[in-house]
C-alpha cells in the first residue's frame, strides 16, 4: 500500500517531529515565521515548508498583521488524532495498573521481611552485642 502524502490528513502531517514542535510552539498563541525560526533553531525556508503542510491539512490558520503573517493552531482537525489515541488510553491505564500492583506486592514483601526478621545489619549487630565481639 502506498504511503499517503503528508498533506492529506492531520495524522500524516503530525507524524513529522518538526511539525509537532511547531504545533507545540503555537499552542501558546499566535507567532510569526521569524518567531518560530528563533524558537526552533530552524531556517525560514524549513519553517515555511512545515507551515504550508500544516496549513494545507487545516491544522493552522493564518492572518495578516501588516507585513507579518501570524499563525495559530486550529484544533478541530486534531480531534481525529485525539479520538484515535483515546481508544488506547484504556489499554495504557490497565497496563499501568498492573505495574502498580506488582510494585505494591514488591513493597509489601520488602516490608514484611524487614518487620518479621529484622534486617541483616540489625541481626549482625545483635549477635555482636550478645557475644561481645565487635571486631
Amino acid at each position: 500500500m502506498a504511503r499517503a502524502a503528508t498533506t492529506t490528513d492531520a495524522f500524516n502531517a503530525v507524524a513529522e517531529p518538526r511539525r509537532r514542535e511547531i504545533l507545540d510552539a503555537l499552542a501558546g498563541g499566535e507567532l510569526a515565521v521569524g518567531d518560530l525560526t528563533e524558537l526552533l533553531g530552524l531556517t525560514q525556508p524549513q519553517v515555511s515548508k512545515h507551515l504550508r503542510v500544516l496549513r494545507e491539512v487545516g491544522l493552522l490558520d493564518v492572518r495578516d498583521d501588516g507585513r507579518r503573517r501570524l499563525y495559530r493552531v486550529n484544533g478541530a482537525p486534531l480531534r481525529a488524532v485525539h479520538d484515535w489515541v483515546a481508544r488506547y488510553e484504556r489499554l495504557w491505564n490497565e497496563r499501568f495498573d498492573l505495574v502498580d500492583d506488582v510494585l505494591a506486592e514488591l513493597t509489601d514483601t520488602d516490608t514484611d521481611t524487614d518487620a518479621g526478621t529484622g534486617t541483616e545489619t540489625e541481626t549482625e549487630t545483635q549477635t555482636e552485642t550478645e557475644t561481645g565481639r565487635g571486631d
Side-chain angles (χ1 to χ4, degrees):
M1 183 169 151
R3 182 170 175 236
T6 57
T7 57
T8 60
D9 64 31
F11 288 93
N12 286 319
V14 300
E16 210 288 322
R18 291 294 189 183
R19 288 196 274 274
R20 290 193 306 269
E21 288 179 15
I22 290 171
L23 289 171
D24 289 343
L26 292 172
E30 292 181 326
L31 292 172
V33 174
D35 300 327
L36 289 166
T37 60
E38 287 180 30
L39 280 171
L40 303 174
L42 299 172
T43 65
Q44 185 274 325
Q46 289 173 313
V47 171
S48 293
K49 175 187 137 195
H50 292 304
L51 289 172
R52 179 185 51 78
V53 171
L54 292 168
R55 207 174 56 246
E56 286 177 1
V57 299
L59 286 169
L60 294 182
D61 292 326
V62 62
R63 73 177 179 90
D64 291 329
D65 181 38
R67 295 186 329 162
R68 298 182 339 151
R69 301 185 85 198
L70 298 176
Y71 294 86
R72 67 181 169 275
V73 174
N74 174 12
L78 285 174
R79 185 68 185 181
V81 175
H82 174 271
D83 291 345
W84 180 76
V85 170
R87 293 187 298 179
Y88 294 92
E89 186 175 11
R90 189 183 84 222
L91 174 66
W92 296 332
N93 286 334
E94 288 171 359
R95 292 193 179 178
F96 286 135
D97 289 344
L98 290 172
V99 170
D100 288 342
D101 293 344
V102 169
L103 290 174
E105 286 177 28
L106 291 173
T107 303
D108 289 345
T109 303
D110 287 347
T111 304
D112 292 344
T113 302
D114 290 345
T117 61
T119 62
E120 189 174 317
T121 306
E122 290 173 351
T123 304
E124 288 173 358
T125 304
Q126 288 173 350
T127 305
E128 290 171 358
T129 304
E130 291 168 2
T131 62
R133 293 182 8 182
D135 309 8

